[in-house]
Every structure is written in C-alpha cells, then in structure tokens.
Amino acid sequence: MSVANGRQFLSIPGPTNVPDVVLQAMMRPAVDIYTGPLVAMTDALLADLKKIFRTQGNTYIYAANGHGGWEAALSNVLSRGDHVLALESGRFALGWAEMAKVMGAEIEVLPGEWHRAVAPAAVEARLAADKSHRIKAIMVVQVDTASGVVNDIAAIRRAIDAAKHPALLMVDCVASLGCMPFEMDAWGVDVAMAGSQKGLMTPPGLAFVASGPRAEAVHKTANMKTHYWDWTFRQGPEHYQKYCGTPPEHLLFAQRAALDMLLAEGLEAAWHRHALLARATHAAVAAWSEGQVLAFNVRDPRERAMSITNVRVNGINSALLTDYTREKCGVTLGLGIGGYEGKAFRIAHMGHTNAPMVLGTLGAIEMGLKALKIPHGSGGVNAAIDSLAAAVPA
Ligand SMILES: *Cc1c(COP(=O)(O)O)cnc(C)c1O
C-alpha cells in the first residue's frame, strides 16, 4: 500500500523547493551577454544581494555551488601559511576549514559539541591568548545544516572585539540567508557567503560572496588569489568580468525571480514566516519526544535553527522512518549526515515553504511513527497546528 502519488514533498535542507515562477523564469531563449538587459540585471542583482546580506560592501556572483562560494571567500583574503580558526558546531565549519587546509592555510579548530552553539566566551579566551595575532581569520557557520545549530554571530563579533583581535570574521550563511536575521555590517562581519539553492529558492549553481572594507584591504595582498574567483578582476569594467566568462544567465533569470518574490514578501516577513514554521516544527518534535525515542539534537531551544530541525532517533535506525515517509507518503526528509547516519533525520523548513507544506511533512512523519509502531508522544501535528493558530490570528 502507498499513498505517495501526488505532489512530492522535498523536505531536505537543500536544494529546497523552487517556486513555479522561478522555474518558469528560466524557460526563455538565451540572450546577448555583452549588451542589453542582462547587463542591467547583473547590476540589479548585485545591488539586491547587498539588501539581502545587509551590507554596503561589495557583492560577487559565481557560477558555483556553496563549496565554490567557500573557495571564493577563502582565496580572496588568505595567504599560504595563514593561521585560521574554525569554530565547530557541526559538520560545515569543519568542511570549510578542510578546504582552507588544502588551499595552504594552517587550520586550528576551536572544539565544540554538535548539539550546542559556539560559545562566544571560548572564542574570546582563545583570541586573547593569541598575543602575536597569528590568527588571520575566524570561520563560522550561522546555521549548521548537519547539526541544526544556530550560532550567535553578533555575540561572536563582540567576543572578537573584547579580545581586541584583528582577525577577519568569515560567516557561512548558506542555510540561513533569507531565513533568519543576518546583519553583515551591523554585526561587523568581514566576509559572508551563501548559495542560491536554500533560503534563496533557486536551483543550485550560484554562489554569492559579500565583502566588507577590511576584507577588501586584506584582499590586495592575499596570495591564495586565483583568476576565476578574484574580486579585483570581477570589479573590472566589462560585463563578462563579473562572471569571469559567460554569465550563467538562466540561473540569473531564476535568481532574479526568486529575489523579486523575497523582496515582495519583505525580508523581515520571510524571517518571521520561517520562525513561525520552525516553532510549529519544534512543537511537534517536543510532543513526539515524550516517547523517549525521538529527541532534539539541539537541546537548548535558543540554539535551534529557524531553517532546519535535526531530530535524533535513539535505538532504531532512522532510515526505517525516512524510507516510510518517502515510499509511502512521497515526503523526502533529510537524512542524518556527518556522523548522524542512521541516527537522525532532518526536517527542512527553509525557503519556499508554507504552513500546509510543513504540516504535511509533520503529518507524514507522525503517520510513519504510528505505522512503524515507534514509541512517541501523541499529538505532534496538533501541537504544530496550535502553535501556528496562536501565532497567526484571523
Ligand atoms: C549546503 C551547505 C553548504 C554547501 O553547499 P553546496 O552547494 O552543497 O556546496 C555549505 N554550508 C552550509 C551551511 C550548507 O548548508
């Protein structure tokens, strides 16, 4: 038996659901890349990305996925042998750090637990001990998509300032931009990066980097620079320089449509929508957790991301549940990654997502828990509905 036929639900943390208008924006002939509307579109996209990152700094668009955005960010500000501090709160800062190591940086990991946010006091203590200022950059993710942790970037900046340390603050916003507040300039972030395919509702293939004045100054002498990623070249007068080659024009049409949607909704309204859907999801998981098998990976509610919830499954293989929701209901959940394989599933509530999509996903999970006779507290979906009904009055 299966009730899977119908609209398939992709509830994984990237790529996320692409709105129909964004898909349709790509259904058009190729256009000239030297003159005309595409040139103006590039300028408008770069300007609108500043609004999304909340910066007066520079923005860059790369034909790349998030990993390309990581390399773009690193190569423009680091020099070989630079000492870099990666703040651990899950898989992704470590992955970014491994990339920096391959590129020739010396990596130090500030150890952290995967169910906790980075502790700003630990950052301050480590930096205060670095009297000679060997550490050139600090790498952190705002939301770690593997653990479901959200880090307090403003508090990390205050910790850096309290230690009077000059290191650049570099932030991965791939799983948070468009989903929760990010204030590049107000929080003193020097380099931020993101990708098109998560909160920004566009197919994978574009990476975005934003740089502040301190990062642009360091860039001048950074020796990891390579031609493709180089900010200086991309600031040149010719349109093709902005992409170091042919612009990925259909992805740009798509991203244009997605940013139009996001700006029409309002960035703050989108953040608020994500918060309400996250709270509803958390209400469901809290109810299910009473059965002692499911549990939040992130114990402190204040450290749980607004875009992704990581649910631990104790004593049984989580694949039983994720296979059930996929095969029987047409709902694809995120699997546990980075050591959580078989021990967790992840519910994405990120990007183009509304109440019925989240409630439908939660409903399929609860159906699976019942059908598989996995012990769980009842009423998770009801708790989610109550949470939304209270937050969204008539
Ligand atoms: C998805 C993700 C990435 C990597 O993006 P890719 O497009 O898969 O290369 C990096 N950081 C975070 C936080 C992510 O969620």
Side-chain angles (χ1 to χ4, degrees):
M1 273 319 283
S2 159
V3 286
N5 279 350
R7 169 76 90 165
Q8 300 296 294
F9 273 33
L10 187 65
S11 303
I12 67 173
T16 59
N17 295 288
V18 180
D20 292 349
V21 292
V22 174
L23 291 172
Q24 286 152 8
M26 293 188 286
M27 293 288 284
R28 63 170 94 163
V31 298
D32 184 22
I33 61 174
Y34 301 103
T35 57
L38 193 67
V39 178
M41 182 184 275
T42 293
D43 293 339
L45 280 171
L46 290 169
D48 284 344
L49 284 168
K50 294 184 193 196
K51 293 183 198 157
I52 309 286
F53 279 107
R54 303 272 197 152
T55 184
Q56 309 275 329
N58 294 326
T59 45
Y60 302 92
I61 302 172
Y62 295 94
N65 61 13
H67 281 69
W70 277 352
E71 188 160 324
L74 295 170
S75 66
N76 273 291
V77 296
L78 294 185
S79 292
R80 276 173 274 284
D82 275 358
H83 197 98
V84 173
L85 184 67
L87 311 183
E88 180 181 12
S89 61
R91 180 75 205 98
F92 282 87
L94 300 183
W96 198 9
E98 281 153 19
M99 179 178 263
K101 185 174 176 197
V102 172
M103 292 167 69
E106 265 186 61
I107 298 304
E108 175 182 336
V109 174
L110 185 75
E113 293 172 276
W114 287 26
H115 55 86
R116 299 250 28 202
V118 169
V123 177
E124 183 180 340
R126 176 63 193 94
L127 294 178
D130 180 35
K131 300 261 184 278
S132 62
H133 295 167
R134 277 185 70 218
I135 296 170
K136 300 297 177 210
I138 295 156
M139 299 161 62
V140 64
V141 292
Q142 188 175 23
V143 165
D144 188 289
T145 327
S147 63
V149 163
V150 60
N151 288 309
D152 186 342
I153 304 300
I156 291 169
R157 164 47 74 189
R158 287 194 294 275
I160 298 169
D161 291 347
K164 298 195 170 50
H165 201 288
L168 294 179
L169 176 57
M170 304 179 68
V171 182
D172 169 336
C173 312
V174 178
S176 52
L177 201 69
C179 309
M180 62 168 289
F182 179 75
E183 301 282 355
M184 174 151 171
D185 289 359
W187 295 348
V189 173
D190 297 298
V191 182
M193 54 74 56
S196 52
Q197 81 275 24
K198 297 195 185 173
L200 301 184
M201 306 182 288
T202 300
L206 296 177
F208 309 115
V209 178
S211 67
R214 282 164 25 93
E216 290 284 347
V218 171
H219 164 77
K220 294 203 169 65
T221 55
N223 76 15
M224 279 190 197
K225 274 182 284 199
T226 59
H227 186 56
Y228 182 69
W229 307 116
D230 187 1
W231 290 342
T232 302
F233 181 74
R234 283 172 182 253
Q235 282 163 10
E238 302 300 331
H239 183 239
Y240 85 92
Q241 288 181 268
K242 301 270 186 296
Y243 303 96
C244 194
T246 306
E249 48 183 39
H250 288 79
L251 284 171
L252 300 175
F253 298 147
Q255 189 64 69
R256 180 68 266 161
L259 291 189
D260 286 345
M261 277 184 84
L262 188 56
L263 295 171
E265 179 180 10
L267 194 54
E268 282 91 354
W271 298 341
H272 192 54
R273 170 170 54 86
H274 280 84
L276 298 186
L277 296 173
R279 266 183 238 142
T281 304
H282 297 166
V285 175
W288 297 331
S289 297
E290 287 161 20
Q292 306 291 316
V293 174
L294 302 192
F296 284 107
N297 182 54
V298 181
R299 290 163 206 174
D300 184 338
R302 291 166 304 180
E303 298 181 351
R304 288 179 198 146
M306 292 295 123
S307 48
I308 172 82
T309 301
N310 178 321
V311 185
R312 302 292 304 267
V313 182
N314 300 312
I316 61 160
N317 191 331
S318 55
L320 285 174
L321 182 64
T322 53
D323 286 351
Y324 180 94
T325 62
R326 187 178 57 250
E327 284 158 25
K328 303 292 189 185
C329 305
V331 172
T332 302
L333 296 167
L335 305 180
I337 59 166
Y340 289 104
E341 289 81 358
K343 298 183 188 137
F345 63 91
R346 295 177 300 152
I347 309 166
H349 27 88
M350 185 190 296
H352 187 57
T353 312
N354 61 13
M357 293 159 91
V358 168
L359 291 173
T361 297
L362 298 173
I365 295 169
E366 195 162 306
M367 180 178 154
L369 293 171
K370 283 193 175 143
L372 292 162
K373 301 191 166 52
I374 296 172
H376 63 282
S378 63
V381 174
N382 275 341
I385 291 170
D386 288 348
S387 165
L388 283 170
V392 185

